[in-house]
Amino acid sequence: MKKGLLTLIVLLFTSSWAFSQQNATEWQYVSYPELPFVLDHIHLDLTLESSESLIEGVGSYFITSRKPDLAEVVFNSADMDIQSITFEGNETEYRISSDSLIIQLPDTLQRGNTIEMVISWKSSSSYGIIQDVYGNMWTSLNPKVRHHWLPVPDHPEVATTMDASINIPADQEMVFNGTLVGDELVSTDKKVLEWSSEIPASVTGLSLAMGDFMRSNARSGIKKVSVYASEKTLLPEVRDDLLSIAVSSMKEYERKLSFEFPYESLNIVVLPDNHWEEIQTGAGIIYLYQNLGSLATQLRRGIAEQWFGNFHRYLNAPDNKYEFLKVMLTGTSNIQQLKNPDELQSIYRWNLWEKGFDALEDDHLKNIIRESLPQLVHQYEGVTDWNEYADFWYDKSGSFWEVLPEFELSESHTEEKYVYGVEYIYDELAPALILVFEAKGEPIESLANVDVTEFGFTDTSHTEITFTGALDSVEVEISSGIDYLTLKQAYDTDLDIRFEEEKPFMFWIRQLRDPSSENRIQAAEALQNFTDNPDLQLAIRDALQDEDDANVRAAMFETLSVLTKDASGTEEIFLGNLNSENLSIQLSGLRALANYPKNENVAFQVRNTLLRAERDTVFNAALDAYRQIASVNDLLTAAERLGQNEQGDKKAIKILKVAASGDTTNTSMMMADRYALGEYPYSIRKQALALLIQFEESEDYWQQTLEILQEDRDPRIRHLSLDAVKYVSLSDRTELLENRVKEELDPRVLNKLKELQQ
């Protein structure tokens, strides 16, 4: 739902977002690369070793000259070991300059003639090859990264057919562009998969992935659709749903565009963590990351990108304007905001348009673009610039949309919540009752209708009253046999009103018997304001005996805990709640037990709950209670205990975040160090590293640790760890930054290094 009035500047060159123009420039491809040859076909023989993050390959490249007397060809290659380059079995000379692999041809190649070149190489590039702690290995689709694992002219202008023979461990599955045409077990521990793509695909769309995947297949017409996901992370029914969404979306987009899916097959890979990948799709391959939220939305977006992002390719992705086209194609009825824990620009811009597309007021603009999509897809192929789209739209409309215009999210009607305190002025002898309504914030200017229900000893009656303004009083007709009454906003009003009522004590006590569980909960909570009344504890205990609703019982226990505090013997009431199957009662028990800081039995039971909790809500409540009744050392001991269990690391980090500020033994920092530098998921490492940066101030520690962290394969860790350079002496800091600027390949990390040098 679109809420509020928000001005969004669609041209994000002036955005306050942290993605700098320098970053965009470093990732943007040049418009007209020097390509005096055509790459007709690639045949790859690859061996993948996930334990070493290694790709070992032999590639046969078939090249046709585009000019006379071609004497050398230039590929791109970086961060890899080129072992040999041969023509017809004879090695040739080559040299590497920056990221250019300059290859001398044995003889000059005339225009239109073709030659086969064979390159052997190895790569374990931390920039091009991603390895996660779950055993998955895949290659990055970020701009200018292909040549870190595959020697190739790395530019969107280059497209080729290909086939690949890929040797992998027998217990793994792997994904590549194109269609799987062979799967042969060659030994007890190795198998060879054969992949083929007869439709030319841009080299910038090449990617492979290997892991403990289960494969599910379906068809959309003649196109094969496959989902690859670990059996441990994705339920079979979710895989089936993704297949169904993929098939229906492909058909929907083909119908909208009057243009079939551009590749032979669609391969969908589901992985836990995005690993800071700005580009999530390649040619016929889509990566869905579970930490980005809705897999269905990611899939629909990724399929749209097969046309606008792969069939049409862009020199400056990620870019706001192209995210607009994806939203235009997918529509907004079945998509949603994605999570963005790593501040990915591509996802940020998608979310921007998902939120604001319907608010773009220029319907003429939207209709021109929407109706033009089929013609655009047919007219352009390969590298396409926004100005080409704008020229096309200019011919249709007479307006040149070099940039998309500013727009406002329309102000939808949202009910404002009004809060009123209601004081009961009750004369029991008369009997008479006056209700005083006082606004706690913005007052209601019109008349507000309120339904009043009076509960008596033998009867129930209803009436309606009205009030208005910042302060108003209303006399209510009541009977002599009244027990209590309740207020409720009338159904026929558009206002959203919350009442904070100050009823007489006995009204609340009698309301504990109300037929409505909601009203009984309200009464139980309100009675916490009457702790000095000697009759309250007995009344609550009596009500508990007859109460069956678990949520109401939980509210009563909350009030009882306020009354008993840490009185000896009363803890047994709440210890019993820990064994309840009802979540509300468990939580109320934990909150109550936080009042017993000197009771060893309470501490023992809360600690057991902390260690055994399966629900996050129970764990969080247990941790909040335990930190109030246990020492820092007790907390750290519990964290150590949880850290011995693979499933307990997330909980251990939560305890460390609570204990670190009061720890005088440095135990919390030693544990954080283990998590930050160990083989743990990024979500855990990130929190541990943040704790170290906050509390560990030792220069000696950071001199050693920063060197290790700056060599980490995860660019997010390298980026985050730079916040710790403040603890290093100026001279050592200068040397560290200078060395890292020379070595760093990720432009986002490199920009931060350069900023710290200033």
Side-chain angles (χ1 to χ4, degrees):
M1 179 178 289
K2 314 298 188 285
K3 297 182 179 179
L5 184 62
L6 175 64
T7 301
L8 299 175
I9 306 302
V10 178
L11 180 60
L12 292 179
F13 298 127
T14 58
S15 170
S16 60
W17 195 260
F19 189 76
S20 69
Q21 183 61 37
Q22 181 183 5
N23 226 83
T25 302
E26 289 173 347
W27 259 349
Q28 184 169 335
Y29 292 96
V30 298
S31 297
Y32 299 100
E34 187 70 19
L35 287 171
F37 60 89
V38 175
L39 183 57
D40 299 305
H41 184 77
I42 305 175
H43 171 76
L44 297 173
D45 285 295
L46 304 177
T47 298
L48 309 185
E49 294 290 348
S50 60
S51 60
E52 303 176 40
S53 302
L54 176 67
I55 297 177
E56 187 172 3
V58 177
S60 297
Y61 301 83
F62 296 85
I63 297 168
T64 299
S65 177
R66 300 168 72 176
K67 73 173 191 178
D69 301 323
L70 182 67
E72 64 181 21
V73 296
V74 179
F75 276 26
N76 297 111
S77 170
D79 205 22
M80 70 172 67
D81 176 20
I82 301 295
Q83 297 179 309
S84 69
I85 301 178
T86 63
F87 293 89
E88 297 181 350
N90 299 315
E91 292 196 17
T92 190
E93 294 182 0
Y94 64 90
R95 68 185 188 277
I96 296 174
S97 175
S98 184
D99 66 349
S100 295
L101 175 61
I102 304 165
I103 305 164
Q104 189 72 34
L105 298 181
D107 297 300
T108 57
L109 193 64
Q110 298 305 308
R111 183 178 181 182
N113 289 350
T114 301
I115 194 170
E116 178 184 0
M117 175 177 63
V118 178
I119 303 178
S120 300
W121 78 94
K122 288 183 179 180
S123 176
S124 58
S125 170
S126 61
Y127 188 45
I129 303 171
I130 302 168
Q131 177 81 54
D132 69 18
V133 297
Y134 307 101
N136 302 305
M137 171 180 163
W138 70 105
T139 56
S140 174
L141 280 166
N142 283 341
K144 300 184 180 180
V145 176
R146 232 68 52 229
H147 63 278
H148 288 262
W149 65 272
L150 173 71
V152 71
D154 190 358
H155 194 280
E157 288 283 4
V158 180
T160 182
T161 59
M162 72 200 76
D163 58 89
S165 177
I166 306 176
N167 191 308
I168 66 172
D171 61 348
Q172 300 282 286
E173 276 289 351
M174 68 84 53
V175 188
F176 192 56
N177 306 80
T179 303
L180 179 64
V181 295
D183 186 344
E184 180 184 2
L185 191 68
V186 295
S187 69
T188 56
D189 58 352
K190 292 289 183 180
K191 65 181 177 181
V192 175
L193 303 183
E194 303 284 344
W195 288 82
S196 176
S197 177
E198 296 181 2
I199 295 176
S202 168
V203 297
T204 56
L206 299 184
S207 186
L208 58 83
M210 181 175 70
D212 182 20
F213 301 142
M214 294 290 292
R215 183 176 69 225
S216 300
N217 300 317
R219 285 200 172 273
S220 177
I222 63 172
K223 307 286 185 176
K224 186 176 181 180
V225 182
S226 302
V227 173
Y228 293 80
S230 170
E231 194 173 20
K232 300 174 184 176
T233 61
L234 203 66
L235 295 172
E237 53 265 34
V238 178
R239 283 201 302 273
D240 292 343
D241 285 344
L242 290 176
L243 278 172
S244 176
I245 291 169
V247 170
S248 62
S249 297
M250 287 171 67
K251 290 179 178 177
E252 176 190 350
Y253 301 164
E254 286 176 333
R255 185 174 63 254
K256 285 182 177 180
L257 298 172
S258 300
F259 196 99
E260 70 174 12
F261 184 76
Y263 304 102
E264 295 108 319
S265 60
L266 176 62
N267 300 305
I268 303 156
V269 185
V270 184
L271 295 166
D273 179 14
N274 71 82
H275 226 270
W276 226 8
E277 282 290 282
E278 279 288 5
I279 309 300
Q280 294 91 34
T281 79
I285 188 167
I286 298 174
Y287 290 107
L288 309 181
Y289 297 105
Q290 290 174 301
N291 69 325
L292 294 185
S294 170
L295 296 178
T297 293
Q298 291 183 64
L299 179 56
R300 292 186 177 99
R301 173 178 176 266
I303 295 175
E305 193 168 0
Q306 294 301 305
W307 283 275
F308 294 101
N310 286 286
F311 182 72
H312 285 195
R313 302 187 290 276
Y314 312 119
L315 300 175
N316 57 334
D319 187 274
N320 173 66
K321 298 187 289 293
Y322 304 123
E323 294 297 332
F324 165 79
L325 289 181
K326 294 176 204 173
V327 173
M328 176 71 79
L329 181 57
T330 60
T332 56
S333 61
N334 56 2
I335 61 175
Q336 57 188 273
Q337 295 274 290
L338 295 174
K339 297 178 182 177
N340 196 7
D342 298 323
E343 298 183 346
L344 294 169
Q345 278 300 297
S346 52
I347 300 302
Y348 166 70
R349 287 159 172 165
W350 165 269
N351 284 342
L352 179 77
W353 278 114
E354 189 280 326
K355 191 174 184 180
F357 176 79
D358 290 337
L360 187 62
E361 295 180 356
D362 193 338
D363 288 331
H364 178 60
L365 165 65
K366 289 199 293 187
N367 289 334
I368 286 288
I369 295 176
R370 182 184 289 109
E371 293 168 2
S372 73
L373 293 183
Q375 296 166 285
L376 291 178
V377 170
H378 280 270
Q379 182 159 331
Y380 301 109
E381 180 181 357
V383 175
T384 308
D385 185 78
W386 183 263
N387 284 342
E388 292 179 292
Y389 294 150
D391 284 339
F392 187 93
W393 298 326
Y394 177 77
D395 291 339
K396 298 287 184 182
S397 67
S399 298
F400 187 71
W401 292 311
E402 182 178 7
V403 298
L404 293 171
E406 299 178 10
F407 69 92
E408 292 182 345
L409 286 179
S410 60
E411 186 175 13
S412 59
H413 177 71
T414 56
E415 296 178 350
E416 184 175 359
K417 195 171 190 70
Y418 296 94
V419 181
Y420 272 81
V422 185
E423 181 184 0
Y424 284 61
I425 303 176
Y426 176 50
D427 183 348
E428 188 174 1
L429 296 177
L433 175 64
I434 297 175
L435 299 179
V436 180
F437 294 86
E438 183 176 2
K440 294 294 184 72
E442 190 71 21
I444 297 172
E445 300 299 338
S446 58
L447 284 176
N449 300 323
V450 181
D451 288 331
V452 179
T453 303
E454 178 190 329
F455 294 86
F457 182 72
T458 60
D459 195 14
T460 300
S461 61
H462 301 273
T463 187
E464 185 175 287
I465 62 173
T466 60
F467 73 93
T468 189
L471 183 67
D472 198 359
S473 60
V474 181
E475 185 172 352
V476 181
E477 293 185 7
I478 58 173
S479 65
S480 58
I482 184 174
D483 280 341
Y484 64 99
L485 60 79
T486 60
L487 307 180
K488 191 172 185 179
Q489 177 182 334
Y491 288 111
D492 59 354
T493 180
D494 293 331
L495 301 173
D496 187 358
I497 311 171
R498 178 166 61 87
F499 299 120
E500 296 179 354
E501 301 174 64
E502 299 176 22
K503 298 182 185 181
F505 174 73
M506 289 308 299
F507 275 30
W508 288 124
I509 290 293
R510 294 165 185 155
Q511 190 172 317
L512 290 174
R513 309 291 182 180
D514 191 275
S516 164
S517 59
E518 181 180 344
N519 286 341
R520 299 200 301 278
I521 290 172
Q522 180 196 33
E525 292 173 346
L527 284 168
Q528 294 182 22
N529 298 319
F530 296 88
T531 54
D532 57 345
N533 191 305
D535 298 326
L536 179 55
Q537 187 171 156
L538 180 60
I540 292 292
R541 288 177 181 269
D542 286 345
L544 274 168
Q545 292 179 4
D546 299 326
E547 183 58 63
D548 295 324
D549 188 287
N551 292 324
V552 180
R553 289 179 63 82
M556 291 180 176
F557 280 124
E558 293 275 2
T559 300
L560 196 57
S561 72
V562 174
L563 291 169
T564 59
K565 293 186 178 178
D566 60 348
S568 178
T570 57
E571 73 275 8
E572 296 297 332
I573 302 171
F574 309 110
L575 285 171
N577 289 9
L578 301 185
N579 298 320
S580 173
E581 295 181 358
N582 180 266
L583 177 61
S584 297
I585 291 179
Q586 275 187 294
L587 298 180
S588 68
L590 287 166
R591 285 191 285 266
L593 291 170
N595 294 325
Y596 299 85
K598 298 179 181 179
N599 191 307
E600 293 183 3
N601 185 37
V602 168
F604 177 78
Q605 296 291 349
V606 173
R607 180 178 183 274
N608 280 347
T609 303
L610 181 75
L611 296 176
R612 298 172 182 173
E614 296 181 357
R615 294 181 176 179
D616 286 343
T617 48
V618 174
F619 176 83
N620 293 337
L623 177 56
D624 186 58
Y626 196 56
R627 70 175 180 81
Q628 297 179 62
I629 61 178
S631 68
V632 169
N633 287 338
D634 291 333
L635 285 167
L636 294 174
T637 300
E640 286 278 14
R641 173 75 177 275
L642 285 167
Q644 296 170 7
N645 183 339
E646 185 178 345
Q647 304 302 319
D649 294 321
K650 291 181 180 179
K651 296 174 181 178
I653 285 290
K654 287 184 178 181
I655 296 177
L656 290 183
K657 291 169 75 171
V658 170
S661 60
D663 179 21
T664 59
T665 65
N666 208 42
T667 302
S668 59
M669 292 298 97
M670 289 188 289
M671 294 179 65
D673 174 88
R674 186 176 74 227
Y675 281 120
L677 276 68
E679 294 292 323
Y680 296 96
Y682 171 70
S683 59
I684 291 175
R685 298 186 66 200
K686 176 182 179 180
Q687 295 179 73
L689 185 50
L691 278 175
L692 288 168
I693 293 172
Q694 181 179 0
F695 293 106
E696 180 57 76
E697 300 179 356
S698 168
E699 182 177 349
D700 290 341
Y701 172 82
W702 284 113
Q703 279 182 328
Q704 300 175 41
T705 306
L706 271 172
E707 293 286 350
I708 298 171
L709 293 171
Q710 284 299 299
E711 296 292 337
D712 199 274
R713 293 189 71 89
D714 192 329
R716 297 169 296 182
I717 292 295
R718 301 198 300 274
H719 191 274
L720 179 59
S721 67
L722 288 172
D723 291 339
V725 297
K726 61 186 177 183
Y727 295 119
V728 180
S729 67
L730 182 59
S731 59
D732 290 335
R733 182 188 317 170
T734 301
E735 181 181 1
L736 171 70
L737 295 175
E738 287 178 352
N739 291 337
R740 289 309 306 165
V741 164
K742 296 175 184 177
E743 298 293 330
E744 184 56 58
L745 297 171
D746 190 290
R748 297 160 294 188
V749 183
L750 187 59
N751 284 343
K752 188 169 183 178
L753 285 163
K754 291 177 178 178
E755 289 171 3
L756 289 169
Q757 284 184 314
Q758 297 174 1

